[in-house]
């Protein structure tokens, strides 16, 4: 008996030499593509080596085997879970760790639909190097995969803020939509007008109140000097983006990390470079995936922030997946210390100001990635809005009443029978000037906007416990 106890203690100690920092054994996920972070508590002679991961189904069938870089004792893994139980076996040197994860898709009518928009006179092939597969199917594969990456990124950043791994649901297939617009018309249209037109085409004759669209224009074209058909706008039910750097995106899950670390220089004579001055394929992938994440955030009613995903932190999304701080984008500041929020053709410059928060909600989770947690994150106001948002919860139709929040202008008074959760004051350009969160208090029925702050913004945003949102122009 004594020997058995010693062996059990020894095995437990050995298992702890491989530690997972962002998942738990038997954890249930509502999304399939997940990021696993951890470290090995072993003396490693070399700076880096490999971790072996074997993935088994709930019937014991091996689904995959992969190798992942261990750098300074840390590792990051991206895998695709199957419905039901998934057994993962991590092996490093003589150390072995078994972990079971469960994938159970959340049932909801509120979804995000990936869309590939092809102009009436276009074949749908996006601009790419000569040896690159730029077919419609390849574009859809890239869009579908990266939609799932954004779904996972959102969950990870919500978890870091202490809200659990809440995220939105993505439809499985990328829809292909043939627009009535010609390429020449698209090239001449202002981005906002183009956004409005595509939004009307997507929602024509459809009940779209439960659906948001993440759409990409196939016809984006760089002629060596100017970019045509580019847009990066999000709001309401549509995030619309160009495909100028789609050639840098992965098609398969195993290509994700290599695409982020691809230091191939962009030939700007033939290809568009949206890398935030880094000039390489990996920088383009990081910036453009981040900008998609940013614009999709606007469809979830998020405003701009001075930092993080809804600021300019999205340029360095690659740091969430990689193990070092290489290829960090340059900080963009104007002479007046303004802040560039959007990308390329549609940009605004803001003066940075701190938003005021009661910050009474929750503590952030510990993480081993200090840089990306600090710079690539949600503000507390953003995370709080998403936490109660209809697209992030099991919303019941009887709670789908948009008139549950009222604003009395003469008294600067907000009231809600369901309880207020977030109140924000925003400028005309969408920058959040002040934010109040009441995450732990579901009895906050009234809120008075401080009179001294009323002139600081143009719009007041409020969200209740059921995810209903009021937007009132002051």
């Amino acid at each position: 008996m004594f020997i058995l106890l010693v062996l059990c203690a020894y095995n437990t100690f050995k298992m702890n030499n491989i530690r997972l920092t962002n998942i738990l054994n038997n954890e249930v996920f509502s999304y399939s593509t997940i990021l696993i972070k951890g470290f090995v508590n072993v003396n490693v002679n070399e700076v880096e080596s490999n971790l072996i991961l074997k993935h088994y189904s709930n019937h014991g069938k091996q689904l995959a085997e992969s190798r992942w870089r261990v750098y300074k004792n840390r590792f990051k893994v991206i895998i695709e879970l199957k419905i039901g139980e998934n057994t993962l076996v991590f092996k490093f040197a003589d150390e072995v760790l078994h972990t079971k994860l469960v994938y159970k898709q959340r049932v909801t009518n509120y979804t995000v639909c990936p869309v590939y928009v092809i102009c009436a006179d276009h074949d749908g092939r996006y601009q790419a190097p000569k040896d690159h597969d730029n077919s419609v199917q390849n574009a859809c594969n890239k869009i579908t995969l990266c939609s799932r990456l954004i779904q996972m990124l959102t969950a990870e950043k919500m978890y870091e803020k202490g809200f659990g791994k809440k995220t939105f649901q993505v439809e499985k297939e990328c829809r292909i939509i043939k627009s009535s617009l010609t390429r020449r018309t698209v090239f001449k249209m202002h981005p906002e007008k183009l956004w409005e037109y595509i939004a009307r085409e997507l929602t024509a004759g459809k009940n779209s109140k439960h659906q948001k669209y993440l759409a990409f224009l196939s016809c984006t074209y760089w002629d060596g000097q100017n970019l045509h058909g580019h847009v990066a706008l999000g709001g309401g039910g549509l995030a619309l983006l160009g495909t100028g750097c789609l050639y840098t995106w992965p098609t398969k899950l195993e290509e994700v990390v290599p695409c982020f670390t691809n230091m191939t220089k962009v030939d700007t004579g033939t290809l568009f470079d949206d890398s935030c001055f880094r000039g390489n394929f990996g920088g383009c992938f990081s910036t453009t995936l981040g900008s998609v994440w940013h614009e999709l955030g606007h469809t979830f009613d998020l405003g701009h922030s001075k930092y993080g995903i809804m600021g300019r932190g999205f340029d360095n999304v690659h740091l969430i997946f990689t193990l070092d701080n290489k290829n960090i984008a340059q900080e963009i500041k104007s002479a007046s210390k303004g802040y560039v929020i959007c990308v390329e053709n549609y940009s605004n410059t803001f003066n940075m100001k701190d938003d005021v928060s009661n910050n009474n909600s929750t503590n952030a989770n510990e993480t081993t990635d200090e840089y990306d947690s600090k710079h690539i994150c949600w503000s507390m106001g953003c995370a709080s809005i998403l936490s109660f948002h209809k697209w992030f919860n099991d919303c019941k139709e009887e709670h789908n009443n948009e008139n549950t929040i009222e604003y009395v202008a003469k008294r600067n008074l907000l009231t809600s029978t369901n309880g207020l959760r977030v109140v924000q004051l925003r400028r005309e350009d969408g920058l959040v000037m002040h934010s109040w969160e009441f995450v732990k208090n579901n009895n906050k029925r009234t809120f008075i906007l401080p009179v001294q702050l009323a002139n600081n913004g143009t719009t007041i945003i409020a969200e209740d416990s059921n995810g209903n949102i009021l937007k009132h122009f002051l």
Side-chain angles (χ1 to χ4, degrees):
M1 176 66 72
F2 175 75
I3 294 175
L4 180 60
L5 289 174
V6 170
L7 286 174
C8 288
Y10 177 70
N11 286 334
T12 301
F13 175 76
K14 283 181 68 62
M15 286 180 65
N16 287 337
N17 285 330
I18 300 178
R19 296 286 301 276
L20 307 179
T21 58
N22 69 327
I23 68 168
L24 298 172
N25 190 36
N26 291 314
E27 185 170 353
V28 179
F29 289 82
S30 64
Y31 51 98
S32 59
T33 303
I34 68 167
L35 174 70
I36 301 174
K37 297 188 288 187
F39 63 89
V40 292
N41 188 25
V42 179
N43 291 327
V44 183
N45 294 328
E46 299 180 2
V47 175
E48 60 179 276
S49 50
N50 289 320
L51 173 92
I52 298 173
L53 171 60
K54 293 184 179 181
H55 182 187
Y56 297 89
S57 70
N58 57 348
H59 301 297
K61 179 183 178 181
Q62 183 171 328
L63 301 174
E65 179 176 331
S66 54
R67 291 177 177 268
W68 298 90
R69 180 188 182 202
V70 176
Y71 178 74
K72 294 183 178 179
N73 290 78
R74 296 170 55 237
F75 61 86
K76 295 180 181 180
V77 170
I78 314 167
I79 65 167
E80 187 75 17
L81 298 178
K82 302 299 181 183
I83 291 288
E85 294 183 353
N86 296 255
T87 298
L88 306 179
V89 180
F90 299 84
K91 187 176 188 300
F92 183 81
D94 295 330
E95 308 296 328
V96 178
L97 173 66
H98 292 76
T99 299
K100 184 182 291 183
L101 302 178
V102 180
Y103 170 38
K104 184 179 181 181
Q105 187 173 5
R106 183 164 60 89
V107 178
T108 177
N109 293 326
Y110 292 83
T111 61
V112 172
C113 178
V115 178
Y116 193 52
V117 181
I118 303 175
C119 288
D121 58 347
H122 191 232
D123 62 5
R125 291 184 175 273
Y126 59 92
Q127 190 174 23
K130 291 182 180 179
D131 60 346
H132 190 96
D133 179 5
N134 64 345
S135 65
V136 172
Q137 185 57 55
N138 184 265
C140 287
N141 291 341
K142 289 173 180 282
I143 291 167
T144 301
L145 170 59
C146 289
S147 297
R148 296 203 307 270
L149 291 182
I150 294 172
Q151 180 188 40
M152 177 268 289
L153 287 167
T154 301
E156 282 297 311
K157 292 303 172 179
M158 289 293 286
Y159 171 73
E160 286 181 9
K161 280 294 183 182
F163 290 97
K165 293 174 182 174
K166 283 191 173 185
T167 190
F168 54 89
Q169 288 297 317
V170 180
E171 293 189 10
K172 293 182 179 180
E173 301 295 330
C174 175
R175 298 188 193 179
I176 300 171
I177 304 295
K178 198 74 173 179
S179 174
S180 61
L181 294 171
T182 64
R183 293 179 70 204
R184 178 170 294 187
T185 303
V186 167
F187 293 170
K188 290 181 178 179
M189 292 181 76
H190 187 277
E192 289 185 350
K193 294 296 182 183
L194 180 57
W195 182 95
E196 292 173 1
Y197 194 97
I198 297 299
R200 285 196 297 270
E201 285 193 322
L202 287 171
T203 58
K206 301 176 183 177
N207 184 0
S208 59
K209 68 178 182 178
H210 295 151
Q211 200 163 56
K212 294 186 184 295
Y213 296 95
L214 180 57
F216 297 82
L217 285 172
S218 69
C219 65
T220 308
Y221 179 70
W222 171 255
D223 64 11
Q225 292 184 329
N226 298 297
L227 184 61
H228 308 278
H230 174 73
V231 61
L233 288 175
L238 171 65
L240 180 64
L241 299 109
T243 52
C245 287
L246 198 63
Y247 67 91
T248 66
W249 285 25
T251 305
K252 302 175 182 177
L253 196 64
E254 56 267 28
E255 297 172 354
V256 172
V257 174
C259 281
F260 277 125
T261 57
N262 188 349
M263 297 297 106
T264 302
K265 292 295 182 182
V266 178
D267 177 7
T268 55
T270 58
L271 295 170
F272 179 48
D273 176 9
D274 189 5
S275 63
C276 199
F277 308 108
R278 287 170 284 191
N280 55 56
F281 280 37
C284 287
F285 177 33
S286 188
T287 287
T288 52
L289 182 70
S291 67
V292 175
W293 193 10
H294 175 106
E295 299 305 336
L296 187 61
H298 287 314
T299 71
F300 296 130
D301 305 290
L302 303 184
H304 286 131
S305 57
K306 67 166 187 173
Y307 64 90
I309 301 154
M310 299 313 294
R312 192 75 205 199
F314 64 75
D315 280 302
N316 293 313
V317 167
H318 69 284
L319 296 178
I320 301 174
F321 297 86
T322 57
L323 293 167
D324 52 48
N325 287 352
K326 293 180 180 179
N327 211 27
I328 296 177
Q330 299 177 26
E331 196 171 346
I332 304 176
K333 292 183 179 180
S334 69
S336 61
K337 296 184 179 180
Y339 199 71
V340 179
I341 296 296
C342 297
V343 294
E344 296 304 327
N345 286 5
Y346 194 76
S347 61
N348 294 303
T349 302
F350 310 128
N351 290 321
M352 295 188 291
K353 290 188 178 181
D354 290 330
D355 54 352
V356 178
S357 169
N358 69 351
N359 204 21
N360 67 350
S361 53
T362 182
N363 295 321
N365 288 284
E366 293 183 1
T367 175
T368 59
D369 301 299
E370 182 178 350
Y371 186 92
D372 82 59
S373 296
K374 180 179 179 181
H375 297 275
I376 313 164
C377 57
W378 300 120
S379 68
M380 185 54 69
C382 287
S384 299
I385 288 174
L386 296 180
S387 181
F388 295 96
H389 204 279
K390 293 181 187 297
W391 265 257
F392 285 66
N393 294 281
D394 298 327
C395 178
K396 298 180 180 179
E397 286 303 313
E398 57 264 31
H399 294 157
N400 191 23
N401 182 354
E402 302 297 336
N403 297 318
T404 59
I405 309 174
E406 295 184 354
Y407 181 70
V408 181
K410 290 182 179 180
R411 300 174 59 193
N412 291 334
L413 174 66
L414 280 165
T415 62
S416 172
T417 56
N418 294 325
L420 293 166
R421 293 297 190 169
V422 184
V423 177
Q424 291 188 339
L425 185 63
R426 299 180 187 174
R427 282 193 342 201
E428 185 177 4
D429 48 32
L431 183 66
V432 177
M433 304 300 295
H434 303 279
S435 183
W436 299 265
E437 301 91 35
F438 314 103
V439 177
K440 292 184 178 180
N441 182 3
N442 62 355
N443 293 314
K444 185 69 176 178
R445 308 298 181 190
T446 62
F447 177 86
I448 298 176
L449 178 67
V451 64
Q452 66 271 25
L453 301 179
N455 294 327
N456 289 357
T458 60
T459 309
I460 191 165
I461 308 292
E463 182 183 41
D464 70 13
S465 297
N466 293 331
N468 298 309
I469 292 178
L470 171 75
K471 297 180 181 180
H472 182 84
F473 293 100
L474 298 174

